């Protein structure tokens, strides 16, 4: 097992994400505790010492199952991470109540790592609102020893992350972002890592396989990778990509493992570091461009369009979200961000005048894209 130094701790480079535990009859709300315990035992045996759960995982059951499984091991043999569920605005005034309940569910006296969960456009104002005392409460818990290390996870854009960092960055010890070879440019994970590096904040990785999408590629793309590394399986490329980054270096990479095969594959991958060479890295990012380009409009964010839009729409932002939604085939990121826009700035506000298209260097049929986006969002 590869280990990474974090302050005075030695953390396994592979973290066990408890969002995708095996389930009973495919029911996400019912994790199969017996099978999950076998996966954790295998991971523990191989040296995995970082386990990540959250209030909402498996409809609230992940904390319970994770707590019962880890209770079988000495408390100093693992590091447990949990999160304040600010993705649900109704939780904002319940920080004390929820934190106490999380300790109870996980059967621990403290969390080694605790995060503001999913800092994004939807909740940034509430997270920063002093009336909820979230920051003050969590800092008090840290002072009391119930939180050893405080950080945040983020699905928001760069501006949202900056706002959060400007308010609380001096006390953030780590940040968890969606980072993989497809989102390096597609969702600007590159820019987010650069921002965190400027703040001196270590990176934790979530969704290294983009929910499994990067675990299996088309024959065309798989052949290109196998030609370069015949003995490397496709999922391993995602982890090798992360091992190649040094701005800033990644500390923990979380993987939601639900089968013994996935656990064993990941343990084999994390037994040693094999970063990509320049040719391999270029090939992988070229594949990413090809994959996203097949469903994306080629907006370069030149912003010529915005000066000609009578509605004052932020067209590049909307097209970026349209690309994400189209490629993913749904998901929560685009709907979450669009929901925070006023009605007059949503894709449905486009009047189809095509003034923007007259000045678009890429000749994108913007009005058609926004109409399609609005339809996909149900608007």
């Amino acid at each position: 097992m590869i280990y990474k130094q974090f302050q005075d701790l030695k953390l396994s480079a592979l973290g066990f994400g408890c969002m995708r535990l095996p389930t009973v009859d495919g029911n996400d709300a019912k994790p199969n505790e017996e099978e999950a315990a076998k996966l954790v035992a295998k991971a523990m045996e191989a040296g995995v010492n970082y386990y990540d759960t959250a209030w909402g995982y498996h409809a609230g059951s992940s904390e319970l199952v994770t707590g019962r499984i880890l209770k079988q091991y000495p408390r100093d043999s693992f590091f447990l991470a949990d999160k304040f569920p600010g993705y649900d605005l109704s939780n904002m005034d319940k920080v004390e109540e929820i934190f106490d309940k999380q300790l109870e569910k996980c059967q621990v006296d403290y969390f080694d790592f605790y995060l503001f969960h999913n800092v994004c456009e939807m909740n940034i104002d509430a997270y920063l609102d002093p009336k909820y005392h979230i920051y003050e409460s969590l800092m008090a818990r840290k002072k009391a020893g119930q939180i050893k290390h405080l950080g945040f996870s983020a699905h928001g854009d760069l501006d949202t992350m900056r706002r959060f960092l400007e308010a609380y960055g001096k006390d953030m010890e780590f940040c968890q972002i969606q980072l993989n070879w497809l989102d390096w440019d597609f969702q600007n994970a590159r820019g987010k890592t650069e921002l965190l590096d400027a703040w001196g904040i270590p990176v934790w990785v979530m969704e290294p396989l983009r929910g499994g999408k990067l675990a299996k590629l088309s024959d065309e793309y798989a052949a290109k990778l196998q030609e370069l590394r015949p003995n490397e399986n496709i999922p391993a490329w995602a982890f090798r990509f992360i091992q190649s980054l040094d701005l800033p270096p990644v500390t923990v990479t979380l993987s939601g493992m639900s089968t013994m095969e996935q656990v064993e594959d990941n343990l084999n991958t994390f037994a040693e570091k094999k970063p990509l060479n320049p040719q391999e890295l270029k090939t992988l990012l070229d594949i990413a461009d090809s994959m996203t380009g097949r469903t994306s409009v080629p907006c370069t964010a030149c912003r010529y369009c915005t000066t000609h839009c009578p509605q004052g729409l932020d067209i590049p932002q909307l097209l970026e979200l349209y690309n994400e939604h189209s490629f993913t085939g749904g998901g929560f990121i685009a709907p979450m961000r669009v929901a925070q826009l006023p009605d007059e700035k949503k894709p449905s506000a486009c009047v189809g005048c095509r003034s923007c298209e007259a000045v678009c260097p890429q000749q994108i049929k913007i009005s058609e894209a926004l109409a399609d986006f609005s339809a996909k969002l149900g608007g």
Side-chain angles (χ1 to χ4, degrees):
M1 175 55 58
I2 301 167
Y3 290 94
K4 297 293 188 74
Q5 197 69 30
F6 172 76
Q7 299 181 19
D8 60 340
L9 305 178
K10 191 170 76 169
L11 305 179
S12 57
L14 173 63
F16 198 120
C18 300
M19 186 175 74
R20 296 188 175 93
L21 299 174
T23 59
V24 176
D25 298 327
N27 185 344
D28 186 66
K30 293 183 177 181
N32 187 323
E33 189 167 338
E34 182 179 353
E35 291 303 311
K38 293 177 183 177
L39 304 187
V40 171
K42 184 68 175 179
M44 281 280 194
E45 179 186 1
V48 174
N49 63 13
Y50 191 98
Y51 296 83
D52 172 274
T53 187
W55 182 259
Y57 293 173
H58 287 289
S61 295
S62 175
E63 289 171 326
L64 291 167
V65 171
T66 301
R68 287 195 291 264
I69 293 174
L70 292 179
K71 191 70 174 177
Q72 303 170 37
Y73 301 90
R75 184 63 182 89
D76 61 359
S77 68
F78 63 86
F79 301 102
L80 179 61
D82 209 334
K83 312 173 186 74
F84 174 70
Y87 56 83
D88 182 346
L89 295 178
S90 68
N91 291 329
M92 290 301 182
D93 60 352
K94 302 171 185 173
V95 59
E96 298 287 348
E97 171 190 341
I98 287 174
F99 190 89
D100 286 336
K101 188 64 177 178
Q102 289 176 309
L103 289 175
E104 177 187 329
K105 290 173 72 178
C106 292
Q107 301 186 54
V108 294
D109 298 321
Y110 63 90
F111 292 113
D112 301 279
F113 294 86
Y114 197 83
L115 300 84
F116 291 78
H117 198 171
N118 186 16
V119 174
C120 63
E121 290 73 15
M122 174 189 69
N123 58 29
I124 182 65
D125 290 333
Y127 267 145
L128 301 185
D129 194 330
K131 75 180 180 182
Y132 294 120
H133 307 291
I134 298 169
Y135 165 78
E136 290 79 8
S137 175
L138 297 184
M139 288 298 291
R141 297 284 187 162
K142 184 179 178 185
K143 186 176 180 180
Q146 292 179 306
I147 294 173
K148 302 301 183 183
H149 302 283
L150 183 62
F152 70 107
S153 68
H155 279 290
D157 62 18
L158 270 177
D159 288 340
T160 300
M161 287 180 64
R162 281 196 193 95
R163 284 185 63 196
F164 187 85
L165 288 168
E166 286 166 1
Y168 305 141
K170 64 182 177 61
D171 294 308
M172 294 297 105
E173 299 175 74
F174 66 105
C175 177
Q176 192 165 297
I177 60 172
Q178 179 169 315
L179 195 164
N180 52 65
W181 56 265
L182 188 135
D183 286 319
W184 186 239
D185 291 310
F186 189 51
Q187 278 207 24
N188 198 19
R190 183 199 304 264
K192 293 173 182 178
T193 61
E194 290 172 349
L195 175 64
L196 294 170
D197 185 56
W199 278 82
I201 296 176
V203 172
W204 266 231
V205 169
M206 58 180 162
E207 299 294 352
L209 289 167
R210 215 176 202 268
K213 199 173 188 72
L214 305 183
K216 185 178 173 71
L217 303 179
S218 69
D219 292 344
E220 171 194 356
Y221 296 140
K224 291 182 179 180
L225 298 183
Q226 287 165 349
E227 183 179 347
L228 295 171
R229 292 195 178 191
N231 298 320
E232 196 87 88
N233 65 31
I234 296 302
W237 278 84
F239 300 117
R240 300 303 184 205
F241 171 76
I242 291 167
Q243 290 177 353
S244 308
L245 303 178
D246 57 7
L247 182 67
V250 169
T251 303
V252 174
T253 299
L254 294 168
S255 181
M257 297 172 276
S258 53
T259 69
M260 188 61 75
E261 180 183 9
Q262 291 170 355
V263 173
E264 291 175 343
D265 281 349
N266 285 349
L267 292 176
N268 288 334
T269 300
F270 280 85
E272 57 182 320
K273 186 175 180 179
K274 294 182 180 178
L276 306 179
N277 63 39
Q279 180 188 359
E280 292 167 338
L281 187 60
K282 182 180 185 304
T283 300
L284 198 61
L285 294 179
D286 284 347
I287 290 174
D289 287 343
S290 177
M291 287 174 64
T292 57
R294 293 183 178 186
T295 56
S296 304
V297 295
C299 176
T300 62
C302 68
R303 305 195 72 82
Y304 294 164
C305 55
T306 58
T307 61
H308 287 68
C309 178
Q311 302 296 90
L313 300 180
D314 189 340
I315 295 171
Q317 179 194 43
L318 293 176
L319 292 181
E320 177 186 346
L321 293 174
Y322 174 63
N323 285 342
E324 157 65 25
H325 204 59
S326 298
F327 177 79
T328 306
F332 72 94
I333 291 177
M336 175 184 72
R337 292 189 186 174
V338 170
Q340 302 315 301
L341 299 174
D343 288 344
E344 65 271 17
K345 300 299 180 183
K346 293 180 179 179
S348 56
C350 173
V351 295
C353 68
R354 301 185 184 274
S355 296
C356 55
E357 297 175 16
V359 295
C360 176
Q362 309 302 320
Q363 300 183 346
I364 300 170
K365 295 180 179 180
I366 297 170
S367 59
E368 293 180 17
L370 294 184
D372 184 47
F373 191 17
S374 180
K376 286 178 176 177
L377 293 174

